[in-house]
Amino acid sequence: MAATNGYQIELYISADYRGRRMKKQTGIWLAAALCGAFFQPAVAQDVQQGTSATDAAKSPDAVARAMGITIGNSLESTQGRAAGHYAVFEKTDTGWKVMSISSVPLPVADFASREVLFFSSDLSYVEPDFRVVLINNKRNRFKCWTGLVHSRESQGREDYNPCDSSLTSTVDAQLGAQALLTVATLGMNVLTGTSIREVAVDQAKVIALLQQTNVLGQLKEQKEAKERLAYQEAFAKARTATALNGFIQRYSNNDPDSLVPKASEKLAQASLNDYRMAFDAAQSSSALNAFIQRYQTKDPDNLVPKAIERRDLALVSERLRCPRI
C-alpha cells in the first residue's frame, strides 16, 4: 500500500505479500539496481565535490586565523546570540556584493542568490545566519534530502538553510531508498528514489566571500568610528574627578586624539572642585567625619580643621534633638 501527498511516499509490504510475490523478486532486484545506477552518479558527484571541498578547506583554517576570525558551523538560533552584525550578500555575474548591514537579523526572500552572515560584535566570529532549526545538526553536519522522498529532517527548505546555501559543501553522501516500489491502481510498478547528503559550512567559500567584498574592512571601519565617537563623548562629559579618572584608566593605552593628557589637566581642577563641594555639602556629623577621613592627608584649602569644628557642633546639636529614654 502506498500513500502520496506530494511530499512523502511510504511503502508498506507485508511478509505475506512478499511470500506470494517471490517470483517477482528478480524483477524488483533488477529495478533496484537500475534505480541505484540512475541515482548513483549524482550522489557520487556530491561525494567527489565534498572531498575536494574538504581538501581545499584545510588551508583556509589558517587563513581564517590570520584574518583574526573563527568561522562557525552551527544552527544557533538568533535569540541565543549576543549582539552583533548581520550582512546580506548577493551573487552577481562578477561575484559577491554587500547588499546591507544591520544590527538586527535580516530576512532573506531570495536565498537562491543571496547569503546572510552573522558577525560577533568584536568581529572575531562569523557564520551563516541559517534560520532553520529542524534540519538535523549532527557533528556540525546538516542532513539534506533531495528527490521525491522527504523526511522531517528536510523541513524548512523554504527558509534560508544550509542545504540550499552556496556557502556549504557536501561532506558525506549516501543513497536513500534506492528503490521504492509503489503498487499503483493499474497494478504498475512505479520506481522512485531519493538521495541523502550531509553538508557543512565551507570555510574556503566564506573566506572568498569575505575577501571579495571586504565586508570585514567595512565593519571594522564602522566599529572604529563608533568607538572613536564614544571616546570623544566620554571626554566631553567627564567633569568630575571620578569620571575623569575613569576616562584616563580606560583610554590610557588607546588615545588617538591625545585626550588623556588633557583629562589629566582637568583632573586637578575637578578634584579641587569635588573637595570644596564635598565640604559645603557635609552638614551631618557622619558626613563631616567622612570628609575628614577622606581629605585629612590632602587638604589644599585647610578645610579639615573647619570640618572638625562643624562636626563637633553637629554632634552636640544631634544629641539635643535625640530624646532620652
Side-chain angles (χ1 to χ4, degrees), residues 49-65 67 69-73 91 96 117 126-128 165-171 200-213:
Q49 290 175 352
T51 302
S52 62
T54 302
D55 293 340
K58 293 178 181 177
S59 56
D61 184 48
V63 176
R65 288 196 301 270
M67 295 173 68
I69 60 173
T70 299
I71 300 176
N73 179 40
K91 186 76 170 179
W96 292 103
L117 289 182
V126 183
E127 75 170 355
S165 170
S166 61
L167 297 179
T168 60
S169 291
T170 301
V171 293
V201 173
D202 191 321
Q203 286 191 348
K205 293 180 179 179
V206 174
I207 288 173
L209 183 151
L210 295 176
Q211 291 176 334
Q212 188 176 91
T213 60

Side-chain angles (χ1 to χ4, degrees), residues 20 145 202 232 256 281:
R20 292 194 301 269
W145 292 61
D202 191 321
Q232 293 170 345

Side-chain angles (χ1 to χ4, degrees), residues 143-268:
K143 187 176 292 185
C144 306
W145 292 61
T146 58
L148 296 178
V149 179
H150 286 193
S151 163
R152 184 178 184 277
E153 293 175 342
S154 62
Q155 292 180 15
R157 294 285 288 273
E158 68 277 5
D159 297 316
Y160 180 55
N161 65 86
C163 294
D164 299 314
S165 170
S166 61
L167 297 179
T168 60
S169 291
T170 301
V171 293
D172 189 17
Q174 56 185 298
L175 284 180
Q178 287 185 352
L180 295 180
L181 183 62
T182 301
V183 181
T185 56
L186 296 179
M188 299 179 61
N189 294 334
V190 181
L191 197 62
T192 62
T194 189
S195 64
I196 306 170
R197 63 192 178 98
E198 289 185 345
V199 303
V201 173
D202 191 321
Q203 286 191 348
K205 293 180 179 179
V206 174
I207 288 173
L209 183 151
L210 295 176
Q211 291 176 334
Q212 188 176 91
T213 60
N214 191 32
V215 66
L216 273 176
Q218 295 180 42
L219 288 171
K220 286 178 180 178
E221 288 180 2
Q222 292 180 11
K223 181 174 179 288
E224 290 172 359
K226 186 176 180 180
E227 291 174 347
R228 186 76 164 264
L229 181 61
Y231 150 80
Q232 293 170 345
E233 289 180 346
F235 174 76
K237 293 178 180 178
R239 294 182 175 86
T240 66
T242 301
L244 287 163
N245 267 319
F247 177 87
I248 293 168
Q249 291 177 8
R250 181 174 181 180
Y251 294 106
S252 58
N253 296 324
N254 182 22
D255 187 24
D257 295 338
S258 300
L259 297 180
V260 169
K262 296 179 180 179
S264 299
E265 294 175 3
K266 291 172 62 177
L267 179 60

Side-chain angles (χ1 to χ4, degrees), residues 1 11-30 181-184 186-189:
M1 178 178 63
L11 178 63
Y12 301 92
I13 303 178
S14 66
D16 291 339
Y17 176 86
R18 290 196 301 269
R20 292 194 301 269
R21 299 295 187 273
M22 286 297 293
K23 293 182 179 180
K24 294 187 177 180
Q25 289 302 316
T26 304
I28 295 174
W29 291 334
L30 178 60
L181 183 62
T182 301
V183 181
L186 296 179
M188 299 179 61
N189 294 334

Side-chain angles (χ1 to χ4, degrees), residues 312 314-324:
D312 294 340
L315 283 172
V316 173
S317 177
E318 290 167 2
R319 288 170 183 168
L320 290 175
R321 290 198 304 269
C322 182
R324 296 182 179 181

